[in-house]
Amino acid sequence: MDQVSSTGRTVHITVTNAYDLKGFKGDTPVTFVRAEFNQAVLGDSSKITVSPEGTAKYNFTSGIELSPDGGITLDDLAHKPLFLTVTEVLPKEKKQKDEKTLTLGQAVVDLLPLLEGEDSFETTVPLHPVQGSPLETPSPGSKDKEFRNQAECIKKRIVWDLESRCYLDPSAVASFQKRIADCRLWPVEITRVPLVTVPKGKSGKLEKTDDENQLSFHGVAYVNMVPLLYPGVKRIRGAFHVHPYLDSTVFEKTKCLFSLFRDTGHHLAHNNKAGGLNSPLSKPVSKNLKEEKAVKDKEIEGRARPGDLQAPSIKSQSSDTPLEGETPLSHNIEGQQYLEAGTYIVLEIQLDKALVPKRMPEELARRVKEMIPPRPPLTRRTGGAQKAVSDYHTQIKSISRAILDEYHQMFGKQVIKVGSDVDSETLEEQKCQLNYELNCSGKYFAFKEQLKHAVVKIVREKYLKTTAFESQEELQTFISELYVFLVDQMHVALNQSMPDDMQGTASTIHTSSEQLRLFAFEAEVNENFEMAAVYYEERLVREPQNLDHWLDYGAFCLLTEDITKAQECFRKALSLNESHIHSLLLCGVLAVLLENHEQAEIFFEDATCLEPSSVIAWTLLGLFYEIQNNDIRMEMAFHEAFKQLQARTLQTKLKSAGTIENTDEGVKIEHSFGPWGAVQDSATAMKSEGLTGIKLRSSHTLSPHLPAELQPQPQGPSTVLSSLDEFIEESSKAHSESQEPMMTLQPLEPSLAQKSSNVLLKELTAKKETSKCQDSSAVLHSTPYASPQPPATVFMETIRFLMKVNAVQFVHRVLAHELLCPQGGPSCEYYLVLAQTHLLKKDFAKTEEYLQQAAQMDYLNPNVWGVKGHLYFLSGDHAEAKACYERTISFVVDASEMHFIFLRLGHIYLEEKEYEKAKRTYMQACKRSPSCLTWLGLGIACYRLEELTEAEDALSEANALNNYNAEVWAYLALVCLKVGRQLEAEQAYKYTIKLKLKDEALLTEIHTVQEMVGFGDPSF
C-alpha cells in the first residue's frame, strides 16, 4: 500500500483471471481488461491470449487515489461502482494500420467492503455480455418471452433498476437525524422526460427539443422518514401515493421551497440521449446495479399512454435551496391524473447501521438482574412454631408409650384376668400405685425433663417469650394460657397415637388460595383493608413462591396508595420469574410513579423484547415516552401496539370462522432478504446461467480500524419496520372498520324461587365440600358481560389491565388517548371506566354524570346498571340501589361483578325485611361463589323466617370459612338460645363479646332473648 500524501490514500485493484472466454474470431482470442471508475479510465492490462480452456491470466493492477480535499472521496467509493471491460483485439488484415477491437462484456465490482473495515478482499463477479457478443446465452423460448411480455409490457407498471448509495460520516449522520426530526415527510418527485434517439450519421451530436427543460406529469410522493429514528430500525419500505406537485402543498408538508427537477432537467435528458457502455442506464450495468445499491425504487402503478416513448425519472429531494426563475405552480392538471389512476410508488430506504441504537435483549436482561437479582427459594428452617409443636407431640407419644409399658408390667396379668370389667375404684387404686412407682423410681422426673425442652421451644417459638415477665400477674396469666394449650396439644397427640378404629373423624374445612383471594376482595370492596391484608398475607405465607400472590398483594397496596410496599411486591414477583411480562410492566409503572424514569424505560423495553406481540407492553412504553416528551418514540410504540392488535384480531377472526390456513407460504417476509434485498435471487439466477466470471483481488491503504459509524453490524428481524404510508393506512382502516364484535351470551340459571327452601338448602349443603375447594375466582367471573368483547383500541386494552391492578394514576392519561383515537372515542366502556375511577374517590356527582353518559350509549349494558347500584348503595340511597341491582340481575347476560351485586342486594332485602327475596338472593350467591358473607346472609334470612335448622347450617358454613366474624357468632348464639342449647349458646355469646360485635341493635336483641329464655349469659 502506498500513501499518496499526508491525507490521501490509494486503493489497489488487481484483476487476476478470467474464465470461460470466447472471441468473435475463435476460441483463443487476444483480449485485455480496462478498469474505469468515476468516469475515468484507470488503465488497461497487457494483451493476453485466452487458453483453449477459456482462461486468461491478466494479473493487472490499477489504483484509485483518495483525497478528502477534492477528487475521489469515501462517498464515491460508497455509491460508485468499478467497471471492468473485457475487449477482444482482432487480428490485423492486410493494409490495416490500426487494430480493431470488439467489446465482449463488462463486469461491475462493489467496493463497499473497504468501507466496512476490510483491508482487502477477493471476489468473483459475472461478466455481462454486450449485445451480439459470443458470450451471450441462447435466447429464451417462446414461453419465457410471453411471460416477459405480460410482466413488462401489458401490465401498467414501471420498474426502475435504480439503487443509490451514499456514505455518511458522523457529521452527516447528525445532520440527517436533525433533518428528519425537523421535517418528517420527505418529497420524492417523479416526472417524464422525452427519450430521443441519435439519428444515423450524426454520432456524438444530439438533437435539441423544444420541451427539453419542461416538466410533464410532475408528481410527488411523501415519505415518512420518522421510522428511521426508531431504536434499532435500519430499513423502511412502503407504498406511497403519488400526488400532483404543487409548490404550496409541498412546502406545507415538507418545508421544501422548490423542486430540484428545474435545474436537473437537462441532465436527465442528457442521460436518456447519451448513455454509453459505462453509463448506469445501459443494459449490462443496470442488471448489476441491483446488487450494489441500498435504496431501491420499484413498481409504480399508474396509467401509461400507449405509444409514449418517455422514460420516467426519480429524484429524492434533500435540499430546500431556492432556484432562480422558478414560477410557483397553482394547479397541476397533468399531475392530477396520478390521483385519478391511484398511482403509487414502492420505495425502500436501508441503512447499514441504525441511526438510533437499540438495547439488545441480553443487555436489558442484565440491567434487570442488576436492579432485581433473582432470589433463590429460602431453605426451610429446622425450627419455628410448627416444628416446636411437632416435637412436643413426639415427646408426648414417647412418654405415653413408656407409661403404658410400665402399666402393663404392673397390672398386665390382673387386666387379662378381669378383662374390660374394671370398676372405677380399681382404676383409681391402680393410678395411685402407678404414680407412686413412677415417683419412687425417678421415672416421673425423667419424663418431666424429657418434656421440658419441648415446652421451652413452644414458649420461645410459638409465644415469642424470651424475656422475663414484668409482674407476677402477667406470669400467672401466661402460665394459665400455656397450660390450656399444652393440654389441648397433648390430647391431639394422644388421639393420633390411638388405633384407627378408636379415632373420631373431625371435619375440617381447608380454604383454597383462590377462596382467600375472594375473601380478601370482599374485605377490600367493603373497605375493611385490615382484614383484606390478613387474607393476602395468609396467601403469601402458604405459597411464598407463587408470583400471582405477590402481584395481587401489590395491586391491593396500590389501592391503599402504599406505593413503596407495592413496589416491593412487584419486584419480589419479578425476582421469582424474570421473564414474567406483567411483573415487568408493573415494575415499570411503579418506577414511573416514583419518578425513576431510567429504570422504567428498562422495564418497559425488556417487556417488549420478551413478548413483542404484547399490546399492553407497547402501549405502556408509548405512554412512558409521552411523559418524556419523546414524540417520535411514542409514535413508534403506539404504531407497533396497533399493528399487534390488528394482527391478533385478524387471527381471532380467522379462528372463529374456522378458516385457519398456513398463511406463511403466501407472505412476503422482508427480513428474510439478504443485505441486498430481493436481488440476491437475481444474483443466484445469473450464476446458474453460467455467466463468464472475473476473479479480482482488491487491496487499499485505508486504516484497518474504521470509525464506529462504518463498522458492519448484523441484521436481525427486529430491525425491519414498515413505514407509515397512506396506502397501508387506508387498508388498515378498511380492515378495522369491517370487524364485528364477537359476543358469547351465557344465560343465567333458572330461577330458584319455585323450589322449597329446605330442598334448596339440602342441595347447597350437599355440595358444600365441593364448593369450598372450588376455584372461586373462576366461579366469580364465570359469566362476565358478553365475555367482554375484544377491545377496539390498544388504549382500552391497557385501561382494562391498569384497572385490574388498581393503577388508577395511569388510567386518566390512557383515557385521554382513547378519546382522541380514531378507532376509539367516547364509548360506553370509556364513560364506565371514568365513573369507576371517580367512584373510588367517592366523587358521587361525577360518577353519576358519567354513568348517565354510559347509559345513553348502551342502555342494556348490565355493567352500567351494576355500577349505578354501587353508586346509590355507597351514597346511602338504598331504594335506587335496589332498583338498579334488580335490573342488573334481570338481564340475560351477567355483569362483571355479580358477587357484590348479590351481596348488596341481599343486604338491602334484609334491611327492608323482605326475607324471602333475601334468601333467594343469597342462595344464588352461595352457589356461584360461596364465602363467609354469602352464608351469613343466608343464615340471617333463614333465622328471620324461623327456619332455625337451615339457619344453623348456613351459619356453621360461614363460621367454618371465617371464625373471626363476630356477627356470625352472634346469630349462632341466637339460634342456640332459640333451640335451648345452653352450653353452645354461652360459648357463641362469649366469642361474640370477645370479637367486639359492633352492631348494638343485634347485641341488644341477644340480651333480650337471653332474658326471655333465662340462660346464655354466664356473667349473671
Side-chain angles (χ1 to χ4, degrees):
M1 303 179 187
D2 299 328
Q3 184 170 341
V4 178
S5 65
S6 60
T7 57
R9 295 188 180 273
T10 303
V11 178
H12 298 283
I13 299 100
T14 301
V15 182
T16 56
N17 302 317
Y19 305 96
D20 299 330
L21 291 180
K22 297 179 183 178
F24 287 94
K25 298 295 184 179
D27 294 337
T28 58
V30 177
T31 61
F32 68 92
V33 175
R34 172 172 294 175
E36 300 174 74
F37 184 79
N38 197 24
Q39 298 183 353
V41 177
L42 302 181
D44 295 343
S45 70
S46 58
K47 299 173 183 177
I48 302 298
T49 302
V50 179
S51 67
E53 292 79 15
T55 302
K57 297 182 179 181
Y58 294 109
N59 291 321
F60 161 63
T61 301
S62 58
I64 301 176
E65 295 183 359
L66 302 179
S67 176
D69 300 330
I72 299 175
T73 62
L74 293 178
D75 186 66
D76 293 325
L77 289 182
H79 78 275
K80 292 182 180 179
L82 170 71
F83 295 103
L84 299 176
T85 305
V86 178
T87 305
E88 179 183 1
V89 181
L90 299 180
K92 288 186 178 181
E93 298 179 357
K94 294 180 179 181
K95 299 182 181 180
Q96 182 180 340
K97 296 181 179 180
D98 300 328
E99 291 181 340
K100 288 187 178 181
T101 58
L102 292 175
T103 302
L104 295 177
Q106 190 177 61
V108 183
V109 181
D110 184 13
L111 300 179
L112 184 62
L114 300 181
L115 298 179
E116 294 180 335
E118 297 289 340
D119 290 332
S120 64
F121 69 94
E122 293 186 5
T123 182
T124 301
V125 294
L127 182 65
H128 298 286
V130 298
Q131 188 173 4
S133 169
L135 300 178
E136 276 191 314
T137 56
S139 59
S142 59
K143 184 176 181 180
D144 184 53
K145 286 184 177 180
E146 181 179 358
F147 171 78
R148 292 180 62 182
N149 182 55
Q150 291 180 355
E152 300 176 10
C153 301
I154 297 179
K155 293 184 179 180
K156 299 175 182 177
R157 89 189 215 173
I158 304 169
V159 178
W160 283 284
D161 285 334
L162 175 61
E163 301 175 359
S164 180
R165 187 164 55 204
C166 178
Y167 168 73
L168 299 178
D169 57 20
S171 60
V173 170
S175 177
F176 187 42
Q177 289 177 310
K178 184 178 184 304
R179 172 77 185 192
I180 295 176
D182 293 341
C183 183
R184 297 188 169 204
L185 296 179
W186 285 30
V188 175
E189 298 181 41
I190 177 174
T191 187
R192 292 187 178 185
V193 296
L195 181 62
V196 181
T197 58
V198 180
K200 293 183 179 180
K202 297 183 180 180
S203 65
K205 296 183 179 180
L206 304 176
E207 291 186 350
K208 294 184 179 180
T209 57
D210 295 335
D211 57 348
E212 181 178 288
N213 294 323
Q214 294 181 358
L215 296 178
S216 62
F217 294 93
H218 192 187
V220 61
Y222 300 103
V223 181
N224 186 6
M225 301 288 285
V226 170
L228 289 179
L229 296 183
Y230 296 168
V233 174
K234 295 192 288 187
R235 185 178 70 123
I236 59 175
R237 183 179 187 275
F240 305 89
H241 281 297
V242 178
H243 303 271
Y245 188 96
L246 298 174
D247 284 340
S248 58
T249 305
V250 172
F251 176 74
E252 179 183 355
K253 292 186 176 183
T254 68
K255 303 299 184 294
C256 295
L257 295 175
F258 305 106
S259 168
L260 289 183
F261 273 141
R262 297 306 169 94
D263 64 343
T264 56
H266 178 75
H267 175 68
L268 293 171
H270 179 75
N271 283 340
N272 284 317
K273 298 171 188 176
L277 182 63
N278 60 354
S279 168
L281 295 177
S282 62
K283 179 180 178 182
V285 179
S286 64
K287 288 184 178 179
N288 252 303
L289 278 175
K290 289 183 178 180
E291 299 183 8
E292 299 160 12
K293 305 298 181 179
V295 181
K296 312 173 187 67
D297 308 305
K298 303 177 182 178
E299 303 175 3
I300 285 192
E301 298 283 347
R303 297 178 180 175
R305 296 180 181 178
D308 279 356
L309 297 177
Q310 290 181 320
S313 303
I314 182 169
K315 185 172 185 65
S316 178
Q317 182 169 331
S318 60
S319 172
D320 55 3
T321 305
L323 302 177
E324 296 181 359
E326 182 174 8
T327 57
L329 298 176
S330 59
H331 189 59
N332 189 343
I333 299 177
E334 291 179 334
Q336 192 69 24
Q337 297 185 26
Y338 289 126
L339 291 179
E340 298 171 359
T343 305
Y344 63 89
I345 178 174
V346 178
L347 179 69
E348 181 175 324
I349 300 174
Q350 183 171 336
L351 302 171
D352 181 67
K353 182 179 179 181
L355 294 176
V356 180
K358 182 180 181 180
R359 290 191 181 100
M360 300 301 292
E362 295 79 8
E363 179 189 355
L364 291 170
R366 178 181 58 80
R367 295 288 299 275
V368 171
K369 285 184 178 180
E370 290 175 357
M371 291 186 293
I372 307 176
R375 301 178 185 178
L378 298 176
T379 56
R380 292 188 176 275
R381 293 179 55 191
T382 56
Q386 186 176 0
K387 180 74 166 48
V389 174
S390 177
D391 291 345
Y392 177 75
H393 289 172
T394 302
Q395 298 300 329
I396 289 291
K397 293 175 184 178
S398 175
I399 294 173
S400 65
R401 285 193 296 268
I403 294 175
L404 283 174
D405 292 340
E406 187 72 22
Y407 178 82
H408 280 293
Q409 288 180 7
M410 294 178 62
F411 310 108
K413 295 181 181 179
Q414 183 180 353
V415 171
I416 293 175
K417 290 180 181 179
V418 178
S420 59
D421 298 332
V422 182
D423 56 15
S424 59
E425 294 181 0
T426 304
L427 289 175
E428 188 66 26
E429 183 181 352
Q430 291 177 351
K431 176 183 176 183
C432 292
Q433 294 180 17
L434 179 61
N435 287 334
Y436 179 78
E437 179 65 24
L438 292 176
N439 279 283
C440 292
S441 63
K443 292 181 179 179
Y444 179 81
F445 179 78
F447 291 154
K448 186 173 68 172
E449 289 298 319
Q450 180 181 350
L451 198 60
K452 179 180 178 180
H453 182 66
V455 174
V456 170
K457 286 178 64 176
I458 287 179
V459 172
R460 291 178 177 176
E461 300 292 341
K462 178 73 176 177
Y463 290 92
L464 305 178
K465 294 294 184 180
T466 57
T467 58
F469 294 94
E470 296 180 356
S471 63
Q472 189 67 22
E473 292 78 9
E474 184 182 356
L475 173 61
Q476 292 299 326
T477 303
F478 173 72
I479 290 176
S480 301
E481 184 180 354
L482 177 63
Y483 176 76
V484 172
F485 176 79
L486 292 177
V487 171
D488 290 341
Q489 293 302 316
M490 179 188 69
H491 289 303
V492 171
L494 292 176
N495 290 333
Q496 292 175 354
S497 62
M498 292 174 62
D500 293 339
D501 56 351
M502 299 179 64
Q503 291 188 23
T505 57
S507 60
T508 58
I509 297 177
H510 300 284
T511 55
S512 66
S513 178
E514 290 304 324
Q515 280 183 306
L516 289 175
R517 172 70 182 90
L518 173 62
F519 303 161
F521 195 29
E522 281 182 338
E524 188 179 303
V525 172
N526 293 330
E527 297 185 357
N528 188 353
F529 297 129
E530 183 178 355
M531 182 58 67
V534 170
Y535 285 124
Y536 282 121
E537 290 168 1
E538 184 175 349
R539 296 175 82 213
L540 293 176
V541 171
R542 288 188 182 185
E543 298 178 83
Q545 302 302 315
N546 190 322
L547 61 85
D548 288 333
H549 297 351
W550 289 101
L551 294 181
D552 290 338
Y553 192 30
F556 167 72
C557 294
L558 270 181
L559 180 66
T560 58
E561 297 184 353
D562 192 345
I563 305 298
T564 304
K565 185 176 287 187
Q567 184 186 42
E568 293 176 3
C569 293
F570 295 148
R571 293 199 169 200
K572 173 63 177 178
L574 186 59
S575 69
L576 296 174
N577 184 359
E578 295 176 355
S579 300
H580 193 253
I581 301 300
H582 285 180
S583 300
L584 279 169
L585 295 177
L586 290 173
C587 284
V589 169
L590 265 295
V592 172
L593 294 179
L594 295 173
E595 297 184 355
N596 194 336
H597 293 159
E598 182 180 358
Q599 291 187 3
E601 184 175 14
I602 293 173
F603 286 130
F604 289 139
E605 283 192 11
D606 194 24
T608 57
C609 287
L610 289 173
E611 192 171 330
S613 61
S614 174
V615 173
I616 299 174
W618 285 109
T619 307
L620 288 177
L621 181 61
L623 293 170
F624 167 77
Y625 284 138
E626 182 190 31
I627 295 173
Q628 296 291 93
N629 295 321
N630 193 333
D631 295 338
I632 292 177
R633 293 198 181 187
M634 177 192 70
E635 178 184 303
M636 175 270 296
F638 288 159
H639 171 65
E640 188 67 25
F642 273 106
K643 187 172 70 173
Q644 296 300 333
L645 178 63
Q646 187 178 3
R648 189 183 65 193
T649 305
L650 178 61
Q651 185 178 7
T652 304
K653 203 169 185 179
L654 291 174
K655 285 183 179 180
S656 64
T659 57
I660 293 295
E661 298 177 357
N662 186 7
T663 57
D664 292 339
E665 298 177 358
V667 175
K668 184 176 182 181
I669 305 176
E670 298 291 345
H671 60 263
S672 65
F673 291 175
W676 291 99
V679 296
Q680 293 289 335
D681 297 334
S682 62
T684 304
M686 288 187 286
K687 291 180 180 178
S688 64
E689 292 176 4
L691 294 179
T692 303
I694 292 182
K695 183 176 181 181
L696 61 92
R697 180 174 64 253
S698 174
S699 64
H700 64 100
T701 59
L702 290 174
S703 173
H705 300 287
L706 292 178
E709 291 77 15
L710 303 178
Q711 297 297 331
Q713 289 188 354
Q715 298 190 14
S718 63
T719 62
V720 180
L721 184 66
S722 300
S723 64
L724 299 169
D725 52 271
E726 297 177 2
F727 180 79
I728 297 178
E729 284 180 354
E730 290 180 1
S731 63
S732 301
K733 186 181 294 184
H735 174 73
S736 62
E737 290 176 353
S738 65
Q739 294 175 358
E740 299 177 357
M742 301 190 323
M743 194 174 291
T744 57
L745 302 181
Q746 299 183 7
L748 284 170
E749 298 180 5
S751 174
L752 305 176
Q754 298 178 358
K755 295 187 178 181
S756 67
S757 61
N758 291 333
V759 173
L760 279 174
L761 211 34
K762 288 179 181 179
E763 291 181 358
L764 290 175
T765 53
K767 298 179 181 178
K768 65 183 179 181
E769 293 299 329
T770 304
S771 66
K772 285 168 192 146
C773 302
Q774 198 172 9
D775 187 347
S776 59
S777 79
V779 175
L780 179 61
H781 302 289
S782 59
T783 55
Y785 170 58
S787 184
Q789 58 185 5
T793 68
V794 300
F795 303 112
M796 188 53 68
E797 181 167 344
T798 307
I799 288 170
R800 293 178 182 178
F801 169 75
L802 294 174
M803 290 294 292
K804 182 179 178 181
V805 298
N806 300 320
V808 184
Q809 298 91 331
F810 254 68
V811 170
H812 285 281
R813 180 179 293 274
V814 192
L815 283 171
H817 283 279
E818 172 70 15
L819 185 63
L820 299 176
C821 181
Q823 295 85 4
S827 62
C828 176
E829 187 173 6
Y830 168 81
Y831 287 116
L832 193 57
V833 172
L834 271 176
Q836 289 172 328
T837 57
H838 284 85
L839 188 60
L840 288 174
K841 302 175 184 177
K842 301 296 180 64
D843 188 351
F844 298 139
K846 282 287 186 182
T847 304
E848 186 173 12
E849 176 186 345
Y850 291 129
L851 285 174
Q852 295 295 339
Q853 297 283 349
Q856 289 179 5
M857 303 196 76
D858 189 357
Y859 193 75
L860 300 179
N861 189 329
N863 281 325
V864 175
W865 292 100
V867 177
K868 253 190 174 183
H870 296 329
L871 166 65
Y872 292 127
F873 184 87
L874 294 176
S875 60
D877 192 348
H878 286 188
E880 287 294 332
K882 173 185 172 183
C884 292
Y885 287 148
E886 288 177 339
R887 181 185 291 270
T888 304
I889 63 175
S890 67
F891 283 111
V892 177
V893 182
D894 282 354
S896 60
E897 293 182 355
M898 291 300 296
H899 182 78
F900 298 102
I901 291 174
F902 282 129
L903 282 180
R904 288 175 171 173
L905 180 59
H907 178 79
I908 295 173
Y909 284 145
L910 290 177
E911 282 186 340
E912 298 182 354
K913 299 183 180 182
E914 298 183 63
Y915 300 126
E916 284 291 348
K917 291 184 178 180
K919 180 180 177 180
R920 290 196 299 270
T921 302
Y922 281 119
M923 278 183 173
Q924 292 188 57
C926 289
K927 193 167 185 179
R928 294 166 60 94
S929 48
S931 69
C932 174
L933 297 183
T934 59
W935 287 111
L936 172 61
L938 180 59
I940 295 174
C942 293
Y943 173 78
R944 298 303 180 190
L945 292 171
E946 298 295 331
E947 299 173 358
L948 300 182
T949 303
E950 291 86 347
E952 184 177 3
D953 289 341
L955 292 171
S956 298
E957 290 295 317
N959 187 262
L961 293 175
N962 180 11
N963 58 3
Y964 286 92
N965 190 308
E967 193 172 2
V968 174
W969 286 110
Y971 277 99
L972 278 173
L974 285 173
V975 171
C976 293
L977 289 171
K978 287 290 184 73
V979 298
R981 298 205 297 266
Q982 179 178 352
L983 179 61
E984 294 174 350
E986 291 179 354
Q987 285 286 100
Y989 177 71
K990 179 181 71 173
Y991 284 112
T992 302
I993 300 302
K994 184 178 180 179
L995 295 173
K996 300 177 182 179
L997 178 67
K998 297 179 180 179
D999 191 342
E1000 294 294 336
L1002 181 58
L1003 193 58
T1004 303
E1005 182 181 358
I1006 294 176
H1007 291 158
T1008 303
V1009 177
Q1010 287 174 342
E1011 293 176 359
M1012 183 177 62
V1013 298
F1015 61 85
D1017 187 356
S1019 62
F1020 65 87

